[in-house]
Amino acid sequence: MAQFSWTDDLHTRNELIDGDHRKLIDLLNVLFEAMDSAQGNQRMSKAMNDLIAYTGEHFAREEAEMERIEYVAALAHKAEHAKLLEQIVELKAMLDAGGRINIPAVSDFLSEWLRNHILAADMKLAGALKHQPSSEPLPQLH
Ligand SMILES: [Fe+2]
């Protein structure tokens, strides 16, 4: 069974982003289990819905952070998010229409996308966030 395992190289050291990624990985694994199960279609459809909803929330959280720090690479990063969301929504529509999917290809695609996106785009974002003041007001010193 395809499984996405968390590995230490995926740590961005940003708590918000890492927490979201762990949850995304859990949701991916639920989807992979559903893909493998005999009565998969209904479970797969539910797992896809959960994955799409959480992916959207996660991307919105990252994008809000990009806006807060006026992140220079925001456009390219957001474009990657938009493309993936479009692809998983399409995949879900195909499943709902009763289409057959190539399960190993889809699971490899999703796992590779997430791993590569974390290792490149999200690492850079986490690095930029570390060098910016937080949105908390500064304490009054007197
Ligand atoms: Fe991202």
Side-chain angles (χ1 to χ4, degrees), residues 44-55:
M44 228 187 316
S45 184
K46 156 122 184 40
M48 282 298 295
N49 273 343
D50 293 346
L51 181 67
I52 290 168
Y54 195 80
T55 301

Side-chain angles (χ1 to χ4, degrees), residues 88-138:
I88 55 180
V89 167
E90 247 171 52
L91 185 66
K92 165 94 179 32
M94 220 164 80
L95 280 174
D96 287 348
R100 288 180 61 84
I101 56 165
N102 179 335
I103 289 175
V106 167
S107 55
D108 282 355
F109 166 76
L110 291 172
S111 298
E112 282 307 298
W113 184 90
L114 184 59
R115 189 173 286 282
N116 293 336
H117 181 78
I118 293 174
L119 291 176
D122 291 342
M123 284 298 171
K124 269 192 226 151
L125 173 61
L129 287 168
K130 213 165 70 183
H131 295 105
Q132 291 289 325
S134 85
S135 55
E136 300 290 309
L138 291 172

Side-chain angles (χ1 to χ4, degrees), residues 7-142:
T7 47
D8 272 344
D9 58 338
L10 297 176
H11 267 296
T12 66
R13 315 273 168 223
N14 177 296
E15 234 173 89
L16 174 114
I17 295 178
D18 287 342
D20 276 8
H21 287 163
R22 284 184 183 277
K23 171 84 182 167
L24 267 183
I25 290 169
D26 286 346
L27 289 171
L28 263 189
N29 285 328
V30 171
L31 175 66
F32 294 162
E33 270 167 40
M35 284 173 163
D36 280 343
S37 88
Q39 72 289 51
N41 258 7
Q42 225 175 354
R43 279 177 61 192
M44 228 187 316
S45 184
K46 156 122 184 40
M48 282 298 295
N49 273 343
D50 293 346
L51 181 67
I52 290 168
Y54 195 80
T55 301
E57 287 168 28
H58 164 60
F59 286 172
R61 275 193 284 276
E62 279 190 1
E63 290 173 15
E65 287 295 275
M66 293 182 209
E67 251 135 64
R68 182 173 68 75
I69 64 164
E70 296 175 11
Y71 183 47
V72 285
L75 265 186
H77 195 143
K78 285 183 190 174
E80 277 193 39
H81 287 172
K83 178 104 196 278
L84 179 76
L85 258 185
E86 202 181 288
Q87 284 171 310
I88 55 180
V89 167
E90 247 171 52
L91 185 66
K92 165 94 179 32
M94 220 164 80
L95 280 174
D96 287 348
R100 288 180 61 84
I101 56 165
N102 179 335
I103 289 175
V106 167
S107 55
D108 282 355
F109 166 76
L110 291 172
S111 298
E112 282 307 298
W113 184 90
L114 184 59
R115 189 173 286 282
N116 293 336
H117 181 78
I118 293 174
L119 291 176
D122 291 342
M123 284 298 171
K124 269 192 226 151
L125 173 61
L129 287 168
K130 213 165 70 183
H131 295 105
Q132 291 289 325
S134 85
S135 55
E136 300 290 309
L138 291 172
Q140 295 291 315
L141 300 173
H142 51 146

